[in-house]
Amino acid sequence: MEIQRYIVHVDMDAFFAAVEQRDRPAIRNAPVVIGADPKAGRGRGVVSTCNYAARRFGIHSAMPISRAYQLCPAAVFLPPDMEKYSRESESIFDILYGFTPLVEPVGIDEAFLDISGSVHLFGSAHKACAMIKKRIKESTGLTASVGLAPTKMAAKIASDLCKPDGFLAVTQEGLLDFLWPLPVEKIWGLGKRSQEILNGFGITTIGHLAKRNARDLEDIFGKNGAYFRELAWGRDCREVEALQDAKSISNEMTFEKDTRDREMIKTALLSLSERISCRLRRKHIKARTITVKIRVTGFQTFTRAASLNKATNFSDQIYTQAVDLFDRFDAQNKKIRLIGVKVSQFCDAQIRDSIFVDTKDEKKERIHCAIDLLKDKFGPDCIRRAARLGSEY
Ligand code: TTP
Ligand code: MG
């Protein structure tokens, strides 16, 4: 008999904006935008996030701040306070680790938990989710949205659909009824390009995708075709990867349009390196081997790896090595579709370097990493963002 899996996805609502609203009662009912200084509409830079009141004006993350100002000049515009959000994030993760050690941090405000083995401690999976929300609210004053499902993909979609302050549970029996009416782009890892191609074949929902035969889809996507179809059938056996168990940490990005633009690729590598270095630091580990994954137009995928003399969790070292590996790769003039960075060969940062730990440096690096999330070219969505800049002006 298959054991029922209970995967939980937790994502804080309008995270940076919610923290600022909590701390400033005067702006509790106002539209709030966190990001660059709008300078009365002439500011450069982007929106980091905004609260739901501001979203009603059409404002969203990664939008140019000048555009956000045009849409709602009366909104409260605030600069981000990354140190505060990092502290907040740490207390939220402390709460999550109280439910299970199987926590996979995804971003500063987001995580997967596998509570399959600990459900009995809480009475039921539903009760565990309600407790997660309650404890976060009580301890931080902030709301989280929580998705519960038998797979990671469904849990993530569920938390997204019930925002803000929601809880949505999907059962094993209800999984296909839940997935099939959803637009096909909700499939995890399916980039904008793939979505367009699928739409061109009349596949607009996950249900459409499930009903196509695997061979047709392989003709379109190669191996990935069969994989996407599996996901559409709710077969997603990816485990929650608690960082202490992981042998490697990786992150990748699909470009909206295949590209040869080295600056754009470097920007992506920087953003990926920073996210990875954050995850390493959160677990107090360092890595020695850096691998770059490069997928060219047509889904051909290559990897290039190198080992450093000394293990690191600093983003600049990971980034420099990643760029070097990329530069030495001969793409034979093909465009790049996807770029990824992986680090492996871990060691414990504290044991290894305890005498040399430079706390000033560590603090600087942590803040630096978080601040870069906000920057247009360094942010987590820098590629989508660049494209949006084009269409919004
Ligand atoms: P998200 O969870 O994507 O967004 P959010 O928490 O603000 O809103 P939602 O309720 O939709 O989850 O990102 C978490 C934080 O990361 C967000 O508060 C600000 C930061 N961030 C950026 O700095 N730039 C970005 O482009 C995005 C998407 C997020
Ligand atoms: Mg969030």
Side-chain angles (χ1 to χ4, degrees):
M1 196 186 77
E2 209 175 295
I3 297 169
Q4 168 90 54
R5 288 207 303 165
Y6 292 103
I7 312 285
V8 180
H9 182 256
V10 179
D11 190 327
M12 302 302 294
D13 302 316
F15 185 45
F16 298 178
V19 174
E20 296 305 340
Q21 280 188 294
R22 177 199 64 190
D23 295 348
R24 303 165 198 238
I27 64 168
R28 214 154 263 176
N29 298 315
V32 176
V33 180
I34 311 292
D37 184 348
K39 296 189 179 150
R42 291 185 312 278
R44 293 172 61 89
V46 294
V47 172
S48 166
T49 193
C50 60
N51 67 357
Y52 283 75
R55 290 181 201 193
R56 283 196 277 279
F57 291 86
I59 302 174
H60 56 72
S61 291
M63 170 183 273
I65 199 77
S66 52
R67 176 92 184 107
Y69 188 84
Q70 268 173 14
L71 289 170
C72 184
V76 177
F77 288 85
L78 294 171
D81 179 346
M82 294 313 297
E83 211 186 337
K84 180 155 80 170
Y85 312 145
S86 297
R87 273 199 311 271
E88 220 51 68
S89 170
E90 274 167 27
S91 23
I92 293 161
F93 277 93
D94 284 345
I95 294 169
L96 299 182
Y97 280 108
F99 284 82
T100 170
L102 294 177
V103 176
E104 177 181 333
V106 181
I108 191 164
D109 80 327
E110 189 185 334
F112 287 102
L113 284 70
D114 186 334
I115 56 164
S116 314
S118 42
V119 168
H120 60 282
L121 298 175
F122 309 104
S124 72
H126 280 64
K127 282 189 184 147
C129 291
M131 276 165 81
I132 291 173
K133 280 175 66 75
K134 188 161 169 271
R135 289 215 185 134
I136 292 177
K137 177 83 193 183
E138 280 169 1
S139 142
T140 67
L142 303 169
T143 62
S145 294
V146 173
L148 168 69
T151 69
K152 281 172 96 174
M153 186 177 90
K156 183 162 169 71
I157 298 175
S159 75
D160 192 41
L161 292 179
C162 68
K163 275 184 163 296
D165 198 12
F167 168 59
L168 182 59
V170 182
T171 59
Q172 182 65 52
E173 304 72 53
L175 186 56
L176 296 184
D177 286 340
F178 171 72
L179 289 175
W180 284 7
L182 296 171
V184 75
E185 62 267 26
K186 294 275 183 196
I187 292 268
W188 213 358
L190 202 137
K192 189 116 189 73
R193 272 290 299 277
S194 308
Q195 181 207 329
E196 280 164 14
I197 296 171
L198 286 172
N199 289 354
F201 283 93
I203 301 172
T204 57
T205 66
I206 297 182
H208 292 155
L209 182 65
K211 282 171 199 148
R212 289 297 177 108
N213 74 49
R215 186 132 0 115
D216 284 355
L217 295 171
E218 277 181 15
D219 287 344
I220 307 175
F221 290 118
K223 269 210 311 266
N224 285 0
Y227 174 61
F228 289 147
R229 188 170 178 279
E230 285 296 291
L231 291 179
W233 277 95
R235 294 191 281 260
D236 166 20
C237 41
R238 279 168 293 190
E239 303 282 348
V240 171
E241 268 188 48
L243 282 185
Q244 61 267 39
D245 302 336
K247 298 232 173 348
S248 66
I249 295 178
S250 61
N251 246 317
E252 55 189 49
M253 273 187 190
T254 305
F255 292 98
E256 219 165 68
K257 272 199 186 124
D258 298 2
T259 182
R260 285 192 196 91
D261 182 345
R262 184 168 175 273
E263 284 312 305
M264 195 179 212
I265 293 162
K266 276 177 66 184
T267 301
L269 286 172
L270 182 57
S271 172
L272 293 168
S273 304
E274 279 170 346
R275 281 194 256 169
I276 286 172
S277 81
C278 269
R279 290 168 70 187
L280 286 170
R281 269 194 308 280
R282 194 189 282 288
K283 283 286 130 196
H284 308 291
I285 54 177
K286 294 184 173 188
R288 216 166 85 79
T289 299
I290 319 289
T291 306
V292 169
K293 172 173 166 185
I294 303 158
R295 178 170 297 156
V296 296
T297 301
F299 279 102
Q300 234 183 332
T301 307
F302 303 88
T303 55
R304 295 289 181 270
S307 288
L308 303 168
N309 292 333
K310 193 168 174 280
T312 186
N313 56 16
F314 285 109
S315 56
D316 54 344
Q317 289 172 6
I318 299 171
Y319 168 69
T320 307
Q321 186 62 67
V323 171
D324 187 51
L325 287 166
F326 176 76
D327 282 343
R328 281 193 274 142
F329 171 72
D330 179 9
Q332 299 183 335
N333 211 31
K334 287 198 178 142
K335 289 188 177 172
I336 307 298
R337 170 181 296 246
L338 169 149
I339 192 96
V341 177
K342 179 173 90 174
V343 296
S344 51
Q345 273 202 297
F346 296 144
C347 65
D348 190 316
Q350 277 164 347
I351 293 172
R352 199 181 155 99
D353 284 347
S354 53
I355 350 169
F356 306 110
V357 168
D358 181 342
T359 47
K360 233 172 48 210
D361 229 28
E362 293 227 331
K363 190 172 166 207
K364 192 184 83 194
E365 181 71 9
R366 194 178 75 171
I367 298 169
H368 168 87
C369 172
I371 286 175
D372 283 344
L373 276 168
L374 295 168
K375 292 185 185 166
D376 181 14
K377 56 180 192 163
F378 299 165
D381 283 342
C382 58
I383 295 151
R384 194 180 77 207
R385 206 173 293 165
R388 280 209 187 137
L389 276 172
S391 62
E392 271 158 10
Y393 277 120

